[in-house]
């Protein structure tokens, strides 16, 4: 997770989609196109005041109880911590796409360009595909595996992590059972 290469950057942006915009981890992230990102006015430093995700992505939800979006689909810059700012991460991600990959109808999440994964300093463009006909689009399972792969790389036991998330969200589970 970070901006130091293609995989850490796309993982960071995936977290923005899930935690910042409130997308479901798989299909909703997979459906995002560049046109779905609405940028606020640019500030003097060039960073937009906000980036909003259009509601097109969540229009497929049926409106049943528990299916409503829990967060407003907008992120704001964090000038106090620019190195972890979600808005800046999205901008950096877009900066490493070719002009064709930035077309409005092109998929937002793209697969990484393997040579750039091995040596990101050698390449300006870090992602594959032309953006046409979903060329280069990152698959649902690959998107879902981004966070797990990052946690494993950091030495985090994913089963323990998932159990703690469950415990933190459930009042029914005794705290002693989680640890």
């Amino acid at each position: 997770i970070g901006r130091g290469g293609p995989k850490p950057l796309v993982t960071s942006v995936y977290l923005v989609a899930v935690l910042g915009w409130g997308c479901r981890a798989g299909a909703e992230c997979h459906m995002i196109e560049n046109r779905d990102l609405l940028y606020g006015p640019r500030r003097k430093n060039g960073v937009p005041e906000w980036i909003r995700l259009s509601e097109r992505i969540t229009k497929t939800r049926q409106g049943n109880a528990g299916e409503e979006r829990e967060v407003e689909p907008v992120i704001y810059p964090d000038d106090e911590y620019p190195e972890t700012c979600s808005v800046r991460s999205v901008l950096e991600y877009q900066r490493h796409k070719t002009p064709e990959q930035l077309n409005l109808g092109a998929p937002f999440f793209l697969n990484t360009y393997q040579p750039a994964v091995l040596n990101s300093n050698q390449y300006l463009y870090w992602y594959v595909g032309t953006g046409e006909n979903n060329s280069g689009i990152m698959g649902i399972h690959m998107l879902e595996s981004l966070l797990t792969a990052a946690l494993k790389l950091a030495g985090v036991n994913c089963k323990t992590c998932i159990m703690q998330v469950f415990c933190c969200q459930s009042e029914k589970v005794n705290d002693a059972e989680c640890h």
Side-chain angles (χ1 to χ4, degrees):
I1 301 174
R3 297 186 198 139
K7 281 194 176 186
L9 183 55
V10 75
T11 302
S12 294
V13 174
Y14 171 70
L15 285 173
V16 169
V18 174
L19 301 174
W21 292 321
C23 291
R24 291 184 177 155
E28 287 184 356
C29 288
H30 179 73
M31 293 183 341
I32 299 173
E33 295 177 352
N34 290 320
R35 79 176 82 233
D36 297 314
L37 275 62
L38 310 171
Y39 297 87
R42 296 272 176 168
R43 303 178 313 166
K44 289 180 183 178
N45 64 1
V47 176
E49 291 180 14
W50 45 263
I51 302 176
R52 177 180 297 277
L53 185 69
S54 78
E55 291 295 324
R56 182 187 75 83
I57 299 304
T58 58
K59 291 284 186 199
T60 58
R61 294 187 187 174
Q62 300 299 315
N64 299 323
E67 289 187 2
E68 61 275 353
R69 183 191 299 269
E70 295 179 12
V71 298
E72 182 182 6
V74 62
I75 57 173
Y76 300 95
D78 184 347
D79 294 328
E80 190 172 342
Y81 300 100
E83 64 280 353
T84 57
C85 169
S86 296
V87 169
R88 287 173 175 87
S89 292
V90 171
L91 295 176
E92 184 69 7
Y93 177 67
Q94 295 291 70
R95 188 176 78 79
H96 286 288
K97 291 182 179 180
T98 66
E100 295 80 21
Q101 293 168 340
L102 292 170
N103 286 333
L104 293 178
F108 180 65
F109 283 107
L110 298 173
N111 286 308
T112 56
Y113 179 51
Q114 194 58 34
V117 170
L118 300 174
N119 191 352
S120 61
N121 293 331
Q122 296 271 323
Y123 299 92
L124 174 60
Y125 303 123
W126 290 355
Y127 303 97
V128 299
T130 62
E132 294 181 14
N133 300 317
N134 288 330
S135 170
I137 191 169
M138 187 172 284
I140 293 173
H141 298 297
M142 179 61 80
L143 279 166
E144 291 173 337
S145 72
L146 287 173
L147 184 57
T148 304
L151 290 172
K152 284 182 182 177
L153 189 63
V156 175
N157 180 331
C158 293
K159 289 182 182 179
T160 302
C161 182
I162 291 168
M163 181 61 178
Q164 287 184 357
V165 168
F166 171 76
C167 290
C168 291
Q169 293 177 344
S170 175
E171 295 176 13
K172 298 176 183 176
V173 178
N174 183 335
D175 187 48
E177 294 177 31
C178 292
H179 304 286

